[in-house]
Amino acid sequence: MPYVKKIDGVKTMIATCLIPLTVCLIAGWVTAGTDDRTLDGIPAPIAAIIGVCSLIWFVAVCPWPVELALVLAVLVLGKAYLQDILNVN
């Protein structure tokens, strides 16, 4: 596998995927937890921009099986969530 290199027993693919994912999750946490009254709500849009950029970075560096698994997970969870919402009966 050309995208997996071993350096001191640590796979660099995992490290390069975890860094942007962690940044994206932290940015989402900051965006969701920012109170509008503090600093005029400035941290929320900045964190949202950083989160979107790190999500793009995450998708760019991850191999296609990881991306495929994420797309399938979103589709399955989205269908299950929307099924509950769309059932009006």
Side-chain angles (χ1 to χ4, degrees), residues 8-84:
D8 297 330
V10 177
K11 294 181 180 179
T12 58
M13 180 193 72
I14 294 172
T16 56
C17 286
L18 284 180
I19 292 170
L21 181 63
T22 305
V23 170
C24 181
L25 292 175
I26 290 172
W29 178 65
V30 168
T31 302
T34 300
D35 189 13
D36 291 335
R37 295 173 294 190
T38 59
L39 295 172
D40 297 328
I42 293 174
I46 293 173
I49 292 169
I50 291 171
V52 169
C53 292
S54 62
L55 185 63
I56 292 170
W57 178 26
F58 173 70
V59 171
V61 297
C62 279
W64 69 269
V66 174
E67 293 174 5
L68 182 64
L70 289 173
V71 168
L72 290 176
V74 167
L75 288 175
V76 168
L77 292 175
K79 183 175 180 181
Y81 181 69
L82 287 176
Q83 195 70 17
D84 293 338

